[in-house]
Amino acid sequence: MKDKIILTGDRPTGRLHIGHYVGSLKGRVELQNAMDYKDMFVFIADAQALTDNFDNPEKVRQNIIEVALDYLSVGLDPGKITIFIQSMIPELTELAFYYMNLVTVARLQRNPTVKTEIAMRGFSKENSEEQQVFGSGLPVGFFTYPISQAADITAFKATTVPTGEDQKPMIEQTVEIVRKFNSIYGETLVEPDILLPSNNACHRLPGIDGKAKMSKSLGNCIYLSEPADTLAKKVMSMYTDPLHISINDPGHLEGNTVFTYLDAFCRQEHFGMFLPEYPNLDELKAHYQRGGLGDVKIKKFLGKILEQELAPIRERRKEFEKDIPEVYNMLRKGSERAREVAARTMDDVRKAMKINYFEDKALIASQAEKYRQQQ
Ligand code: TRP
């Protein structure tokens, strides 16, 4: 019955923000608490973070605890699921090495996530031409991280990967690797499915500046652990509609960050609590579009909604911050358990590839027989 194996992870390059929250964390907690799965893993992808922070390992090292605290504070529960650190599972690198034989350079070059990330991270100065994007400055580790991600997923035989839309190409690449492996070596690995948030506005939450994506490097994030006063300040500074200059101008919803966030966070009951003069979000939007509704009012409303959502997370974080050694202890135990599971898959893989020489009695016997005949 319960045959789902859920797995997902995050790079520890900074604290997690509300884009991570609506895009994935919130859904994970719901999945966790629904208990409708065989197993569930959430991990801190430190090895993957090193593929583009190889020159700054300290940043990755410092942020492992930040991500772990964010996990615990949103309600991920090590009593129910396994939380671990990627680099503590050497089987993942071992698997990735064999998968490398199943993926062509051309296929990696077509991976849209790799393409845009290379451009973003400036591995290439001139990124207009494909040849230049994949120029000499690109580290092999970064280029091949989709293969490593396929190992993360398949090592646990994950069926379900709750994550953001930007990870779609990674899951597709994983499925291809699984199919290729199984067709060559026999049914061994499991094909995963991506699980996107059901609310469209949650797929890719823009930054407070209205830029495409909330990201640490753009400095446009609202962090989960944001103190109440900076949260309020950030909401007040949010990008809205540049054409909505005076209150009576008609306002636009398209690209209006405050309304995008309302689509992601606002629930019916928020009107009764914080804005009783409107019955629902549609009426609020209609008034904004007609003109006569000021930005400050909608920002204050959003600010109250976010504060209500983030206050308990902030409080829980403070509790976990009191015993940091215990958080590392939790990660150690989770990593030990994850390693056992990955080692079992690695055994299956070795058997399928027939590289389990010492267990292969038939191989040893047939070699012995061959040499006996030659004597
Ligand atoms: N690539 C993911 C990110 O940048 C992190 C990640 C690594 C991941 N391995 C994974 C996500 C496996 C899901 C499954 O956020």
Side-chain angles (χ1 to χ4, degrees):
M1 263 305 279
K2 290 183 181 176
D3 47 10
K4 260 192 293 189
I5 297 178
I6 302 167
L7 172 135
T8 191
D10 303 276
R11 298 179 181 202
T13 53
R15 291 186 174 199
L16 300 179
H17 52 63
I18 61 171
H20 294 117
Y21 182 64
V22 291
S24 177
L25 292 169
K26 207 175 167 176
R28 287 180 210 176
V29 177
E30 283 161 15
L31 283 168
Q32 167 193 274
N33 294 337
M35 302 288 278
D36 179 30
Y37 49 82
K38 194 159 110 194
D39 217 342
M40 179 160 170
F41 302 88
V42 174
F43 73 100
I44 301 176
D46 63 329
Q48 187 177 107
L50 285 169
T51 64
D52 67 325
N53 290 279
F54 52 86
D55 52 352
N56 194 0
E58 194 53 28
K59 173 166 128 190
V60 174
R61 196 165 88 106
Q62 294 295 332
N63 278 303
I64 287 174
I65 190 75
E66 301 299 337
V67 172
L69 285 165
D70 286 333
Y71 283 170
L72 295 170
S73 63
V74 295
L76 289 178
D77 178 356
K80 294 186 179 135
I81 65 169
T82 300
I83 303 177
F84 68 95
I85 302 180
Q86 184 187 27
S87 66
M88 294 294 103
I89 321 299
E91 285 78 7
L92 299 179
T93 8
E94 198 179 349
L95 265 183
F97 190 72
Y98 297 120
Y99 293 172
M100 285 191 183
N101 300 329
L102 310 178
V103 182
T104 64
V105 171
R107 176 61 183 91
L108 282 176
Q109 286 179 336
R110 280 200 310 275
N111 186 311
T113 311
V114 174
K115 260 190 182 165
T116 47
E117 287 186 329
I118 287 168
M120 258 167 51
R121 282 167 176 74
F123 283 140
S124 161
K125 294 284 165 274
E126 320 97 302
N127 53 37
S128 52
E129 293 294 323
E130 199 127 318
Q131 291 87 329
Q132 290 165 333
V133 172
F134 298 101
S136 53
L138 175 65
V140 173
F142 183 85
F143 182 55
T144 56
Y145 94 76
I147 301 175
S148 145
Q149 187 154 336
D152 300 338
I153 296 168
T154 53
F156 301 92
K157 305 206 164 157
T159 58
T160 312
V161 182
T163 186
E165 205 165 44
D166 58 324
Q167 296 297 305
K168 236 180 183 164
M170 297 294 155
I171 309 302
E172 283 162 13
Q173 182 109 53
T174 302
V175 168
E176 284 173 38
I177 291 173
V178 168
R179 289 189 183 153
K180 186 119 192 209
F181 187 100
N182 288 348
S183 77
I184 297 174
Y185 304 113
E187 268 324 290
T188 313
L189 303 172
V190 175
E191 280 184 32
D193 264 330
I194 191 167
L195 180 63
L196 294 168
S198 49
N199 177 345
N200 261 335
C202 297
H203 283 188
R204 194 179 288 242
L205 202 70
I208 56 172
D209 57 358
K211 294 263 164 61
K213 196 179 163 184
M214 188 170 282
S215 101
K216 191 179 157 65
S217 49
L218 294 173
N220 60 5
C221 299
I222 293 177
Y223 293 98
L224 277 175
S225 51
E226 205 77 73
D229 53 342
T230 58
L231 171 64
K233 247 183 256 157
K234 284 186 177 182
V235 172
M236 280 303 157
S237 76
M238 275 173 70
Y239 179 85
T240 55
D241 169 14
L243 302 173
H244 187 241
I245 295 161
S246 89
I247 273 200
N248 292 318
D249 293 334
H252 299 85
L253 305 175
E254 183 80 16
N256 187 320
T257 320
V258 174
F259 280 100
T260 309
Y261 283 27
L262 285 173
D263 281 333
F265 285 96
C266 180
R267 294 188 302 271
Q268 189 55 43
E269 71 251 34
H270 290 135
F271 285 93
M273 281 186 275
F274 305 129
L275 202 61
E277 60 267 45
Y278 293 88
N280 56 43
L281 191 53
D282 286 339
E283 294 288 321
L284 188 74
K285 285 177 176 172
H287 191 190
Y288 191 79
Q289 287 175 298
R290 278 200 307 275
L293 173 57
D295 283 357
V296 172
K297 191 157 186 167
I298 52 166
K299 284 179 172 175
K300 282 200 168 138
F301 180 48
L302 174 64
K304 286 179 185 153
I305 293 171
L306 288 180
E307 176 56 23
Q308 194 193 41
E309 189 96 20
L310 298 190
I313 296 174
R314 199 189 290 133
E315 290 315 306
R316 269 200 301 270
R317 198 183 211 274
K318 290 221 176 77
E319 286 307 306
F320 288 111
E321 285 171 356
K322 288 180 185 157
D323 195 353
I324 295 297
E326 185 45 36
V327 179
Y328 279 104
N329 204 25
M330 175 280 288
L331 290 171
R332 186 177 51 75
K333 284 192 217 144
S335 300
E336 282 165 8
R337 150 123 226 281
R339 191 163 180 201
E340 284 166 21
V341 178
R344 261 181 268 141
T345 303
M346 199 57 233
D347 281 346
D348 295 345
V349 163
R350 273 197 214 97
K351 213 174 283 165
M353 293 177 71
K354 293 180 176 287
I355 56 173
N356 59 336
Y357 312 114
F358 304 140
E359 275 82 62
D360 193 342
K361 301 258 158 42
L363 169 74
I364 297 169
S366 73
Q367 296 289 13
E369 178 58 23
K370 184 172 88 192
Y371 279 93
R372 200 171 11 253
Q373 284 171 6
Q374 285 172 18
Q375 268 162 16

